[in-house]
Amino acid sequence: KNTGSFLGRLRHFVDIIDPSTLFVSEKRLKESIKLLDDYKHNSLTPGVTDCQLWEAQKIKQAIIHPDTGEKIFMPFRMSGYVPFGTPIVIGLLLPNQTVVSTIIWQWLNQSHNACVNYANRNATKIDISHTFILFQVCSRICLCFFLQVGLNVLIKKANKLKPTTRMIIQRLVPFPAVASANICNVGLMRHVELSEGIDVMDNNGNVVGSSKIAAKHAIMETAFTRVVLPMPIFVLPPIIMSYLERLKHRRLLLPIHSMVCLVTFALSLPVAISLFPQMSQIEVSRLEPEIALASDCKVVTYNKGL
């Protein structure tokens, strides 16, 4: 698939986030990897079709990390983001939240986001400790909590707002809290890349050096997708539900609310992660001088992460 255009990347990532890849067996994964290796070394068995090769690539890209070559834990794969993340989104958007429920849902949300960011990072440099991950999760929960509570207090004090308007705005409060925490999430989980740099490769896939500038671009692009991703998820369902709550059949509200969150999340994820290529390119002239000296290429490639 052509990943040079947004539509090409969208088709590509719709494949990558296909939840059916969560159920691929170990045997089939090994067969897919072997098939792709055979193709790479021009030793394919006669009769193998392009469709089989595309399916093998889909399975490998959905499960295996491009830098480490290891399996990504199921709940933290991009194909598991919607199935495992939707219940948390539903919880975050439930009306009449208490302080305790807000803390619990933000804890689950930020923990899941941290693990997804870590599992899909650029892994060409050293890892960060589990203690540091826990510390960052706790700090982002505090950020989310104080933002959400603070905004709710301000809205309640806005006496000029109509009750309906106030209710809709209150339901939109989780978005700025989550978006702010997501930016911190990406930056803090991947801070090592800023200090160590990330590997950049030439046209043949050979590493020509480590670049802090490329790392900065990778993190900024990923952080931007983490702002775009929750935008429809935390904006559309509250608006839709504020009107649906006028229905007489109150028992249907939770199922409808859940379905709206699921559909919005499923549509938002491929759009957000398709904004930038995973394997991004940057001109050598924009990088450190030592990178230019190490390669004759005008453009190098790096793994942005997801």
Side-chain angles (χ1 to χ4, degrees):
K1 295 180 178 66
N2 175 26
T3 56
S5 66
F6 171 76
L7 289 178
R9 290 194 296 274
L10 183 61
R11 287 194 292 268
H12 167 71
F13 282 118
V14 165
D15 271 352
I16 297 299
I17 67 169
D18 181 358
S20 67
T21 59
L22 295 172
F23 306 101
V24 170
S25 65
E26 187 70 25
K27 180 183 177 183
R28 192 178 177 198
L29 174 61
K30 289 179 179 178
E31 289 173 351
S32 298
I33 294 172
K34 184 179 184 303
L35 191 64
L36 294 172
D37 286 341
D38 289 345
Y39 173 77
K40 186 177 180 181
H41 296 101
N42 296 316
S43 57
L44 272 178
T45 304
V48 174
T49 64
D50 288 346
C51 185
Q52 288 175 300
L53 286 170
W54 281 117
E55 184 65 18
Q57 181 168 287
K58 169 184 173 177
I59 290 171
K60 182 181 178 182
Q61 290 182 335
I63 299 174
I64 302 298
H65 194 287
D67 293 333
T68 64
E70 298 176 355
K71 287 175 65 176
I72 300 172
F73 186 47
M74 185 189 291
F76 310 142
R77 298 174 195 166
M78 278 298 165
S79 55
Y81 206 175
V82 173
F84 289 95
T86 299
I88 299 172
V89 171
I90 294 169
L92 281 169
L93 292 176
L94 289 174
N96 305 316
Q97 296 268 11
T98 64
V99 171
V100 174
S101 66
T102 299
I103 292 173
I104 291 172
W105 287 116
Q106 288 293 0
W107 169 270
L108 290 171
N109 183 52
Q110 291 308 316
S111 298
H112 186 236
N113 285 343
C115 291
V116 170
N117 287 336
Y118 179 76
N120 294 278
R121 72 201 183 284
N122 179 301
T124 56
K125 294 300 172 186
I126 59 174
D127 284 341
I128 56 180
S129 68
H130 294 160
T131 304
F132 183 81
I133 294 173
L134 181 61
F135 169 74
Q136 299 306 337
V137 170
C138 292
S139 64
R140 284 189 296 278
I141 290 166
C142 293
L143 172 63
C144 277
F145 175 72
F146 286 116
L147 271 174
Q148 190 163 337
V149 172
L151 288 171
N152 276 326
V153 169
L154 289 175
I155 292 165
K156 286 178 181 178
K157 289 184 177 180
N159 298 322
K160 294 182 180 179
L161 293 175
K162 296 179 180 179
T164 307
T165 306
R166 182 183 287 110
M167 182 185 69
I168 293 174
I169 293 175
Q170 279 182 315
R171 289 195 169 183
L172 296 176
V173 163
F175 169 66
V178 170
S180 302
N182 282 354
I183 294 172
C184 296
N185 196 319
V186 173
L188 293 170
M189 291 301 294
R190 298 177 59 176
H191 76 286
V192 174
E193 297 172 31
L194 290 173
S195 57
E196 299 287 332
I198 58 174
D199 288 350
V200 292
M201 295 160 283
D202 59 20
N203 298 331
N204 299 316
N206 300 315
V207 176
V208 296
S210 293
S211 171
K212 295 179 183 179
I213 297 174
K216 182 180 178 182
H217 280 269
I219 292 172
M220 287 177 64
E221 289 171 354
T222 305
F224 183 73
T225 65
R226 291 301 190 273
V227 174
V228 174
L229 174 58
M231 193 180 295
I233 300 171
F234 287 94
V235 172
L236 293 180
I239 294 174
I240 293 170
M241 292 311 298
S242 66
Y243 290 101
L244 290 179
E245 281 175 357
R246 299 171 187 175
L247 297 174
K248 294 180 181 179
H249 303 289
R250 306 289 295 180
R251 292 180 180 179
L252 295 176
L253 287 179
L254 184 57
I256 293 173
H257 174 66
S258 302
M259 186 56 63
V260 169
C261 289
L262 175 62
V263 172
T264 311
F265 198 172
L267 293 175
S268 302
L269 181 58
V271 172
I273 60 178
S274 299
L275 293 174
F276 305 99
Q278 180 176 2
M279 300 305 295
S280 296
Q281 292 186 323
I282 188 170
E283 295 176 358
V284 173
S285 58
R286 298 171 62 186
L287 300 179
E288 293 86 345
E290 57 267 24
I291 302 292
L293 294 173
S295 174
D296 296 329
C297 296
K298 293 184 177 180
V299 176
V300 290
T301 305
Y302 60 90
N303 176 19
K304 172 185 70 67
L306 286 177

